[in-house]
Amino acid sequence: MPQEPDFIHDLNKQQQRAVRHGEGPLLIVAGAGSGKTRVLTYRIAYLIQQQKATPNEILALTFTNKAATEMKERIGELIGDQARRLWMGTFHSVFSKILRYEAEKIGFNSDYSIYDTDDSKNAIKQILRENSYDPKEIKPRILQRRISDAKNELIHPGQYNEKFVHSTLDEITATIYDIYVQRLKHNNAMDFDDLLIKPIELFNKYDEVLAKYQDRFKYILIDEYQDTNHAQYTVTNMLAEKYKNLCVVGDDAQSIYSFRGADIRNILDFKNDYEDAVKIPLEQNYRSTKAILKAADSIIKKNDSQLDKTLWTDNDTGDMITVLDNYDERDEANRVADYIQKLKRRKGYDFGDFAILYRTNYQSRVFEETFRRKGITYQLVGGLSFYQRKEIKDVLAYLTLLINPHDDTNLRRIINEPSRGIGNKSMQGLMLRARETGQSLWEILKNVEEADIYTPAENSVKDFVAMINELKRDLANGKKLIDVTKKLLEKSGYMKSLVEENSPKSMTRRENILELENAISYFEKDNANATLSAFLQEISLITDTDKYDEDKPAVTMMTVHAAKGLEFPAVFVVGLEEELFPVGSRDNEEVNIEEERRLFYVAITRAQQDLFFSHCRSRYKYGEEQRKKRSRFLDEVSSDVVRTETGASIKQNDNAFSSSKNSNQNNNSGNHVEYDRQKPQYNKNNKSSGGTKIHYDNPDGDPFQVGAQVEHNVFGPGKIISRSGQGEKTKVVVFFKDRGRKTLMLRAAKLEVVG
């Protein structure tokens, strides 16, 4: 047995236990910031260094390409070039690779297309039309979601029709599901779900194939095991059945993807599935301050379904968490922007050190507008992906046809893009003939003279077929991918049409296509034997998180779901209101409040040094202003570590704060003032309809502090958001509900505090 490597001493005792674990199943319960990636990479390196397995006998599965790349690089630093031989990647990429080798056994060829969600929805939309359903009434995205859920639960079309039809929509789903599965096979295409369920079909059908991969993978390691769905659980258990060297790493407290089919029971019941499994908790957090960890722990302990663990850290206590109480979303965005600029000055942060986390993507709009106005650079994660843009999807559809011309969905997309005189009437005739003869649309196009269509359209079809065949020959003869792509763009007229349009939008599209050419060039440079099939597979599996650029000097805006696995020095969790975060209402039994609480826990544990919670009293929805209640989660977090902007403690009772001049809540001396946090009501003349007004010359002291609610005889109601200067030179910045932000000299402003 080789001597233990020096790198083992970089780990704490629990991490060393996990890395050194020998044969048999292993459950590593890795709390947030506890170094799970390090443990996973070191364990793989240790297995190889100790000669327990060769690199190609280890299968490591992740949920993002970014995670897989980072892990492989780290392993390479520990053991050298051997890391390149590892089977490591996302579930979809690894099983797509296996299917490329074995596809013919289940009726596909190795150059099958991979449909993303939009491709699937387009295929379903076409099937709906063919079966006399209106896609405006029966939404393709709803059927796509239902079909995806069924696939991930391993429910086949026949089973769905027999056991799950209880309504008209169920009947339509069953019909479309059956046709959709047949259509994918006809098109030599698989969707994302197929990349997980087709291996199960393959292994069930061919024992010798299953045995081959069971023998190959002596050790299987799975990252983020709490995010696995039923299909992922099934296929990995099949592969691990022989050696049972299955190591899973995860945190039940971060299980937040049930809407994608993730099943928290997979990690909670791991010890039931493998009775002899060793469980090792990783509880030392290296990321966050003690205050942030206490907040996270106080939240997650409210959940019933969880594995026992308590995070701890040797880090400093850190600053208290600040709660921002805002009028509305505009006020919220302005306040967050001001805090970012203040923290940059005070702590030396860069814009890239900040993250804005929200529950839903639409919340980004007001922050984007505010940041642009204030000159704050930002990056938006989870918006429209580069590879989802129309022009990029068009070019990729052309490229797909060069290796899989039987893909009717992509063929229909670009046969008349740009316009080449093949209109809807001609296309309907061609597709009808394809359905009647059972042939692919490509086969019909190759023999278009046998179809009864308009002569100019027939000639255009012949030209189109000749172009595709010429480009296919170029590929077969070894021409470089970038050269084939440039020739395609020229001969198809696609680039020319954008140049001739000569609009700002068309120029942007042209620039995007040039960037796609760059991506193809880089791919060829980085891969000695680059193929078009490999390139299309790689980009088809890119996720939102893969697009995050941690080196970009910009504030990151993303949903909490997209932020899992990331960390930032300063984090703002915004929109903490009932019906937004958590979603739904207090009385809605459909809301999985434990998962929403786990989502809040994930948001908290992204922060390293500074953490802010933010909520609004009102928010616009459907064009109307609606009153909001602050999130119940703000009443659940430990009051020991949360303060208002003035440093006052928070009373967790009936959505009211308690303010005290002394922020130490154990000190009962001094005046204790409770104040109503409900938004003041004003009449049409902008005069207060209730409350006590305090004038600037109030003898009891200066009430015009940050956070005070004020009224101005012209600007109406507002809130002091910053203050500077002293004496007669004192200035305040007030955010007025109807007039926006104003800077006023306090002595001349004629402000009144509404108490």
Side-chain angles (χ1 to χ4, degrees):
M1 182 71 68
Q3 184 179 352
E4 273 202 333
D6 291 338
F7 63 68
I8 196 75
H9 303 296
D10 297 339
L11 308 172
N12 65 38
K13 289 183 179 180
Q14 288 295 87
Q15 291 174 333
Q16 288 180 12
R17 277 188 64 204
V19 168
R20 288 188 175 119
H21 175 78
E23 307 291 313
L26 173 64
L27 169 61
I28 303 174
V29 183
S34 63
K36 73 173 180 65
T37 301
R38 168 175 281 201
V39 169
L40 206 53
T41 54
Y42 276 46
R43 176 161 172 76
I44 293 170
Y46 188 84
L47 289 171
I48 296 170
Q49 191 273 338
Q50 292 289 291
Q51 297 178 7
K52 293 180 179 292
T54 61
N56 60 9
E57 291 175 330
I58 295 175
L59 172 62
L61 297 167
T62 68
F63 275 84
T64 67
N65 296 302
K66 180 182 175 67
T69 300
E70 178 184 331
M71 286 171 57
K72 188 171 284 191
E73 289 175 352
R74 290 193 189 183
I75 295 168
E77 292 171 1
L78 297 173
I79 62 172
D81 288 344
Q82 295 182 81
R84 299 171 62 183
R85 294 163 49 211
L86 287 164
W87 278 69
M88 175 178 283
T90 64
F91 278 88
H92 292 94
S93 65
V94 167
F95 288 109
S96 174
K97 182 178 178 180
I98 290 174
L99 287 170
R100 294 288 177 193
Y101 294 137
E102 313 290 350
E104 291 185 3
K105 292 182 174 65
I106 54 173
F108 293 80
N109 71 49
S110 60
D111 285 328
Y112 60 82
S113 303
I114 298 177
Y115 281 7
D116 62 18
T117 302
D118 284 342
D119 295 329
S120 297
K121 285 189 288 192
N122 288 335
I124 290 170
K125 182 188 291 186
Q126 182 61 34
I127 294 169
L128 283 169
R129 287 172 174 156
E130 291 172 6
N131 288 269
S132 302
Y133 293 112
D134 186 351
K136 293 181 180 179
E137 294 181 2
I138 309 297
K139 302 293 185 185
R141 63 179 175 80
I142 293 176
L143 294 186
Q144 192 272 337
R145 180 72 261 170
R146 285 170 144 245
I147 291 170
S148 177
D149 289 344
K151 284 188 172 188
N152 284 314
E153 288 298 320
L154 305 182
I155 300 167
H156 301 295
Q159 295 172 306
Y160 194 96
N161 194 37
E162 290 176 6
K163 300 179 181 179
F164 299 93
V165 173
H166 306 291
S167 67
T168 301
L169 183 57
D170 291 338
E171 291 177 359
I172 295 171
T173 303
T175 299
I176 302 303
Y177 184 11
D178 188 29
I179 300 172
Y180 174 69
V181 169
Q182 296 176 42
R183 185 65 52 84
L184 285 176
K185 194 165 187 177
H186 184 77
N187 290 356
N188 190 38
M190 297 187 195
D191 61 21
F192 281 168
D193 301 315
D194 287 330
L195 299 181
L196 300 178
I197 66 171
K198 291 300 181 185
I200 298 173
E201 177 186 328
L202 173 71
F203 295 153
N204 281 328
K205 192 172 182 180
Y206 295 97
D207 292 341
E208 69 278 11
V209 176
L210 174 59
K212 178 174 73 173
Y213 289 101
Q214 286 177 336
D215 285 333
R216 173 183 288 257
F217 301 130
K218 291 182 178 178
Y219 288 87
I220 300 174
L221 302 96
I222 305 176
D223 191 17
E224 305 286 9
Y225 192 64
Q226 76 280 348
D227 293 335
T228 53
N229 61 27
H230 183 58
Q232 290 162 328
Y233 167 86
T234 299
V235 72
T236 51
N237 282 339
M238 292 175 79
L239 289 173
E241 187 174 0
K242 180 174 182 178
Y243 293 107
K244 292 186 169 51
N245 291 327
L246 177 61
C247 169
V248 302
V249 184
D251 182 6
D252 57 294
Q254 298 185 67
S255 178
I256 59 174
Y257 292 117
S258 66
F259 68 95
R260 292 182 184 171
D263 190 344
I264 193 174
R265 293 173 300 177
N266 292 347
I267 192 168
L268 295 179
D269 295 342
F270 187 79
K271 290 274 287 181
N272 294 333
D273 293 336
Y274 297 91
E275 293 181 0
D276 58 340
V278 174
K279 174 185 171 185
I280 300 177
L282 303 181
E283 298 175 309
Q284 182 175 2
N285 177 282
Y286 294 93
R287 175 187 299 159
S288 306
T289 63
K290 287 184 173 71
I292 291 169
L293 279 193
K294 186 167 186 178
D297 191 61
S298 66
I299 283 293
I300 205 61
K301 285 292 194 287
K302 301 290 192 301
N303 275 1
D304 294 325
S305 300
Q306 58 180 294
L307 299 171
D308 289 336
K309 64 182 175 302
T310 299
L311 293 183
W312 61 276
T313 185
D314 284 333
N315 294 338
D316 294 336
T317 299
D319 292 338
M320 294 289 180
I321 298 163
T322 303
V323 176
L324 308 183
D325 174 23
N326 311 288
Y327 267 144
D328 57 22
E329 58 264 50
R330 293 172 300 173
D331 184 19
E332 180 177 54
N334 275 289
R335 306 276 304 296
V336 168
D338 289 344
Y339 268 99
I340 287 173
Q341 291 172 326
K342 182 167 67 175
L343 283 169
K344 275 189 81 227
R345 292 191 298 269
R346 184 159 62 89
K347 292 196 172 185
Y349 286 148
D350 294 323
F351 282 139
D353 293 326
F354 296 94
I356 315 295
L357 306 183
Y358 35 75
R359 182 64 180 80
T360 56
N361 274 310
Y362 77 80
Q363 290 172 258
S364 71
R365 180 193 59 81
V366 67
F367 286 96
E368 292 183 73
E369 292 175 354
T370 301
F371 284 12
R372 283 196 295 267
R373 189 172 66 250
K374 290 178 177 286
I376 296 175
T377 56
Y378 65 89
Q379 62 173 325
L380 194 63
V381 178
L384 184 63
S385 161
F386 174 80
Y387 290 105
Q388 294 298 316
R389 299 180 188 278
K390 178 189 179 303
E391 60 276 14
I392 302 303
K393 293 275 285 183
D394 287 345
V395 177
L396 294 178
Y398 271 109
L399 292 172
T400 297
L401 292 185
L402 303 187
I403 58 172
N404 182 19
H406 301 289
D407 184 343
D408 287 359
T409 299
N410 279 305
L411 178 51
R412 286 198 307 269
R413 180 183 183 98
I414 48 81
I415 192 170
N416 201 42
E417 185 68 50
S419 176
R420 49 177 60 93
I422 307 172
N424 288 334
K425 185 175 181 181
S426 296
M427 279 304 301
Q428 288 171 5
L430 293 168
M431 289 188 291
L432 178 61
R433 184 171 179 81
R435 289 198 303 273
E436 289 175 344
T437 61
Q439 295 177 288
S440 68
L441 183 56
W442 174 251
E443 292 295 334
I444 299 300
L445 296 185
K446 288 198 301 181
N447 300 287
V448 68
E449 62 276 356
E450 297 178 9
D452 185 18
I453 65 169
Y454 189 48
T455 301
E458 179 182 321
N459 293 332
S460 294
V461 167
K462 289 179 179 178
D463 291 341
F464 175 82
V465 170
M467 175 188 69
I468 296 296
N469 282 332
E470 180 181 345
L471 293 166
K472 287 174 65 178
R473 286 193 296 272
D474 288 342
L475 270 182
N477 292 330
K479 196 168 186 178
K480 293 179 65 175
L481 300 185
I482 185 59
D483 294 333
V484 172
T485 303
K486 289 179 177 179
K487 184 174 179 180
L488 182 155
L489 290 167
E490 179 187 351
K491 291 189 71 68
S492 67
Y494 198 97
M495 211 63 154
K496 181 181 178 182
S497 68
L498 294 177
V499 173
E500 289 177 346
E501 184 180 328
N502 196 29
S503 67
K505 189 173 183 179
S506 69
M507 291 301 102
T508 299
R509 287 180 170 175
R510 181 172 175 271
E511 290 169 0
N512 287 337
I513 292 174
L514 293 175
E515 183 59 32
L516 176 63
E517 291 182 2
N518 292 338
I520 294 171
S521 293
Y522 278 120
F523 181 79
E524 285 196 294
K525 180 181 178 182
D526 294 339
N527 297 272
N529 299 309
T531 65
L532 179 55
S533 179
F535 174 74
L536 292 173
Q537 174 175 309
E538 179 173 292
I539 64 173
S540 71
L541 300 175
I542 290 175
T543 66
D544 285 344
T545 305
D546 294 324
K547 295 178 291 184
Y548 164 63
D549 183 358
E550 61 184 341
D551 297 322
K552 189 173 183 178
V555 177
T556 299
M557 290 191 232
M558 59 172 64
T559 64
V560 183
H561 283 102
K564 192 162 76 68
L566 304 177
E567 57 185 37
F568 303 88
V571 170
F572 293 82
V573 186
V574 300
L576 281 166
E577 299 130 31
E578 288 295 309
E579 300 187 19
L580 181 55
F581 199 173
V583 295
S585 66
R586 290 181 187 270
D587 300 324
N588 188 348
E589 297 298 328
E590 295 299 318
V591 174
N592 184 341
I593 195 62
E594 292 214 349
E595 178 153 331
E596 289 292 307
R597 194 175 283 116
R598 292 195 294 269
L599 193 61
F600 186 43
Y601 172 86
V602 167
I604 292 172
T605 53
R606 298 313 93 198
Q608 296 171 301
Q609 296 291 330
D610 291 284
L611 179 59
F612 294 80
F613 297 150
S614 177
H615 69 98
C616 299
R617 298 195 206 173
S618 66
R619 190 174 290 272
Y620 275 85
K621 191 173 183 180
Y622 308 124
E624 296 181 356
E625 186 178 16
Q626 297 183 0
R627 294 287 295 274
K628 306 295 293 184
K629 290 183 179 180
R630 81 180 202 188
S631 171
R632 72 191 78 180
F633 296 152
L634 291 175
D635 294 321
E636 294 179 354
V637 71
S638 174
S639 60
D640 292 347
V641 293
V642 182
R643 295 291 182 265
T644 67
E645 294 172 82
T646 59
S649 61
I650 293 175
K651 181 179 178 182
Q652 297 166 317
N653 181 31
D654 297 329
N655 277 351
F657 289 87
S658 290
S659 173
S660 171
K661 294 289 185 183
N662 190 333
S663 63
N664 183 350
Q665 66 180 33
N666 295 320
N667 186 346
N668 293 322
S669 62
N671 295 325
H672 184 76
V673 182
E674 290 199 11
Y675 56 98
D676 182 13
R677 300 300 298 186
Q678 296 298 315
K679 183 177 174 181
Q681 299 296 312
Y682 297 90
N683 60 27
K684 293 181 180 178
N685 296 318
N686 284 331
K687 298 296 182 182
S688 174
S689 60
T692 303
K693 296 179 181 179
I694 306 174
H695 294 270
Y696 177 58
D697 59 358
N698 185 338
D700 293 333
D702 182 358
F704 295 92
Q705 302 298 321
V706 173
Q709 308 294 331
V710 297
E711 181 187 354
H712 189 275
N713 61 347
V714 175
F715 302 139
K719 181 176 181 178
I720 297 176
I721 59 176
S722 68
R723 173 177 169 139
S724 61
Q726 295 179 344
E728 291 189 350
K729 295 183 179 180
T730 300
K731 293 181 181 180
V732 290
V733 178
V734 183
F735 185 87
F736 291 101
K737 176 183 179 299
D738 298 317
R739 304 294 288 273
R741 177 172 164 159
K742 302 289 182 182
T743 301
L744 306 171
M745 294 295 295
L746 192 53
R747 64 181 175 79
K750 297 181 181 179
L751 289 174
E752 295 176 337
V753 172
V754 180

